[in-house]
Amino acid sequence: MATGAPGRGAAGGRRGHVRALGVVAGDRTALLCLTGLLVSGFGTSAMWLTAGIWVKSATGSDSLAALTVGAMWAPVLAGPALGAVADRVPRRLLLVTVNLVMAGLMASLLLVGPGHRIGALFAVLVVYGASGVLLDAAEAALVAHALDARLLGDFNGLRTTANEGMKLLAPLAGAGLFTRYGAGAVVALDAVTFALAALLFARLRVREPARGREAARPGGTAAGIRLLRGSPVLRPLVYAGALTMLLAGLNGAAVYAVVDEALGRPPAYAGVLYAFQGAGSVAVGLLAGPLLRRMPERTFAAAGTAVFAVAVGARALGGDLVALAASTAIGAGLPCVLIAAMTAVQRETPDAVLGRTAAAANSLMAAPNAMALAGGAGLVAVVDVRVLLPAAGLVGLVTAAWLRSGRREKHEAGPVGA
């Protein structure tokens, strides 16, 4: 046991955490990537909600409105193949090009006649989803090359904070713009944010390694999946992330049933629960880096999954205070396994296959969430949420226990400045 003045170690740890965040924020590459994410994320979050409202207003169909989310999610299934592009093309060039293409594509919607606009919107949303896979893979690989490995947890935590922060603000702005000025205003906003993100990424000054034969090999698109399956460090984290996201999808599908049956509130109250959930995610993003320097990635992921699982089960108890606390805990616990998994992928994966490995990991973890959101709606109709949510929480606790019981990673990043 360490000796010394009471509180000195804790104070030193806090200073180290603040210093680490300062290093990340002061790094040109990290700052430009985070700013680009903030800018483009604002437009994306606004468009995510507005697309459904637009389709519902134009067609009156709830099913078509729901399909807008499916159109954006569908390309995630092609993640390994799309991620290979990030291993074959200079990543900075890819970030700039994809953002510029999306800016032009979004702007083109303004030129489509009313009779064809909804069909064109769905086509654009599919490309939108594919661009998201490409951008995430390229950014993950570029940052892993440019940033100190000990700071990857801080970066990924801040990335979560930025992303969740935009989800709190942008949908309200998008809905307000749509109500006041129509869909064209939101489309224009999204196009502008893509263009601004391209300008930010164009300012990156990163010397990327030359692409080797492995990256150019035609049969290499499955290299990321093979690496994930064969790695004793990455495999459990990604599998646990996939199962946790499956449970998150069930939880998301049940939110309106919770609002109605457990809380006796109108449907709009779901927005309050999502706001508290987002606040929890913003907070854990700031703490992720410091926590990952104090514990192995599997322990961090297991702790977050356990918090998430208990909170999901608690939602079935009813009561506003319990519901708000559970939503905050869900937001804080859920991102932990995702942050831990991506940090491990960036640290463990050779640069030549990092783009496709990051995309494969994202696909394996995101696809179950989309499937559970789709199938969960039917499940909620036949299973009482007071049974479904505790059962989901129990599965989450088993997942956390499995992660925690596994052997500790051999490679752990040391503290900044050590």
Side-chain angles (χ1 to χ4, degrees), residues 7-415:
R8 182 174 178 179
R14 285 192 294 272
R15 286 195 295 269
H17 306 336
V18 173
R19 184 167 64 250
L21 289 175
V23 171
V24 173
D27 183 274
R28 178 184 172 86
T29 299
L31 185 59
L32 285 172
C33 285
L34 286 171
T35 307
L37 175 69
L38 274 170
V39 170
S40 63
F42 187 90
T44 296
S45 295
M47 192 65 197
W48 173 77
L49 176 65
T50 302
I53 298 174
W54 186 2
V55 171
K56 170 67 176 176
S57 300
T59 67
S61 171
D62 291 326
S63 298
L64 284 177
L67 273 179
T68 58
V69 177
M72 295 179 74
W73 272 99
V76 169
L77 299 175
L82 291 170
V85 178
D87 291 330
R88 293 171 178 161
V89 177
R91 287 145 185 169
R92 172 181 168 275
L93 176 63
L94 187 62
L95 289 169
V96 174
T97 303
V98 170
N99 275 288
L100 286 177
V101 168
M102 287 307 302
L105 199 59
M106 293 304 300
S108 70
L109 281 176
L110 300 174
L111 305 177
V112 178
H116 303 284
R117 193 165 289 168
I118 298 303
L121 173 63
F122 275 102
V124 168
L125 289 178
V126 173
V127 180
Y128 207 122
S131 73
V133 175
L134 282 171
L135 292 171
D136 285 346
E139 185 186 43
L142 187 144
V143 167
H145 171 71
L147 200 63
D148 189 322
R150 295 170 296 179
L151 297 172
L152 289 174
D154 294 276
F155 177 85
N156 290 324
L158 289 174
R159 192 180 191 281
T160 296
T161 295
N163 191 39
E164 295 301 323
M166 288 303 98
K167 288 180 182 178
L168 290 175
L169 301 174
L172 294 175
L177 279 175
F178 181 88
T179 302
R180 182 69 177 85
Y181 300 106
V186 185
V187 170
L189 170 68
D190 202 12
V192 169
T193 59
F194 272 120
L196 289 175
L199 290 174
L200 287 166
F201 288 126
R203 297 185 61 199
L204 288 171
R205 298 292 180 264
V206 179
R207 182 172 295 179
E208 300 184 52
R211 300 287 173 255
R213 293 181 180 179
E214 186 177 4
R217 191 161 50 87
T221 56
I225 293 178
R226 289 196 299 269
L227 192 149
L228 291 175
R229 287 176 177 171
S231 170
V233 174
L234 303 181
R235 185 177 60 248
L237 284 168
V238 173
Y239 285 0
L243 184 53
T244 304
M245 290 300 287
L246 178 72
L247 299 176
L250 291 176
N251 173 67
V255 66
Y256 288 105
V258 169
V259 169
D260 179 30
E261 298 173 20
L263 301 178
R265 292 278 192 168
Y269 193 71
V272 178
L273 300 184
Y274 278 125
F276 275 78
Q277 182 172 324
S281 295
V282 168
V284 83
L286 296 173
L287 296 172
L291 290 173
L292 281 170
R293 283 192 294 277
R294 288 177 173 267
M295 62 182 71
E297 282 143 357
R298 281 181 71 156
T299 303
F300 175 70
T305 300
V307 169
F308 163 77
V310 171
V312 168
R315 270 190 161 175
L317 298 176
D320 286 346
L321 289 179
V322 172
L324 296 176
S327 294
T328 305
I330 287 170
L334 179 59
C336 293
V337 67
L338 307 179
I339 294 171
M342 187 51 59
T343 301
V345 165
Q346 290 172 308
R347 192 194 67 222
E348 297 284 332
T349 308
D351 182 81
V353 293
L354 182 49
R356 72 198 82 176
T357 304
N362 280 329
S363 294
L364 288 171
M365 292 188 290
N369 182 259
M371 292 186 291
L373 280 169
L379 193 59
V380 168
V382 297
V383 180
D384 194 306
V385 291
R386 288 176 284 265
V387 175
L388 178 63
L389 292 181
L394 180 60
V395 174
L397 285 175
V398 171
T399 303
W402 169 69
L403 263 180
R404 186 66 184 89
S405 65
R407 66 180 180 87
R408 295 167 67 91
E409 296 94 329
K410 292 182 180 178
H411 183 97
E412 296 177 29

